[in-house]
Amino acid sequence: MAKPPVEITTQASMAEAADVFRRAMRVSWWSEHITGAGTTFEEPRASVFEQLHQDKPDFAVMALLGGRGAEIQKSAVHMYMWDRGGHREIALGVGRNLASFGLKANRKIRRFVDDLSDVDPSLEHTGI
């Protein structure tokens, strides 16, 4: 059974939330530059069923967390964000490959929530 997404409601702007996400998903300098196990950011692959969604996100990104060069060990954190005028709604989910348990991805999500709560102390979240 898949883990439910982490859902966040925040007063932080979309730009602030995206910047915090980028920083929170980064790995150590050593991992990124020496071992080649850095984080890359991509647009999530679309599904043919997405055209059926009535409430498409205003911003979506996927952080691929390095697996020391082995594709099978990589995991990903997906972020979908909606601008609701006075607040933003964010959904975070973990995608993982066969040999990845998603532990790194879950730690990165916790780091994102903690860092975003520093920007917006009124932040509310579920799913952690």
Side-chain angles (χ1 to χ4, degrees):
M1 176 187 235
K3 184 177 176 181
V6 173
E7 296 177 341
I8 301 168
T9 302
T10 181
Q11 303 295 317
S13 71
M14 289 182 70
E16 289 172 321
D19 189 49
V20 170
F21 182 79
R22 183 178 350 185
R23 286 192 319 261
M25 295 301 128
R26 301 306 301 209
V27 294
S28 70
W29 183 92
W30 176 266
S31 292
E32 192 167 313
H33 293 92
I34 304 300
T35 68
T39 301
T40 58
F41 298 94
E42 298 178 4
E43 188 173 342
R45 291 183 285 283
S47 162
V48 294
F49 297 102
E50 284 190 17
Q51 58 190 315
L52 299 174
H53 293 165
Q54 299 296 319
D55 190 19
K56 294 181 183 176
D58 296 304
F59 178 76
V61 65
M62 176 175 58
L64 289 168
L65 308 175
R68 302 258 186 254
E71 285 295 319
I72 199 167
Q73 295 178 351
K74 289 186 177 183
S75 58
V77 177
H78 296 253
M79 179 174 85
Y80 301 93
M81 186 166 24
W82 293 262
D83 188 349
R84 303 294 191 204
H87 70 280
R88 263 58 52 217
E89 293 176 4
I90 301 171
L92 300 169
V94 174
R96 52 189 171 266
N97 284 333
L98 187 61
S100 169
F101 298 110
L103 300 175
K104 185 187 302 184
N106 287 319
R107 282 194 317 267
K108 296 291 186 184
I109 286 176
R110 169 50 77 186
R111 182 175 171 193
F112 170 72
V113 171
D114 291 345
D115 291 354
L116 190 59
S117 66
D118 290 343
V119 174
D120 175 19
S122 68
L123 172 144
E124 296 177 5
H125 65 85
T126 61
I128 292 182

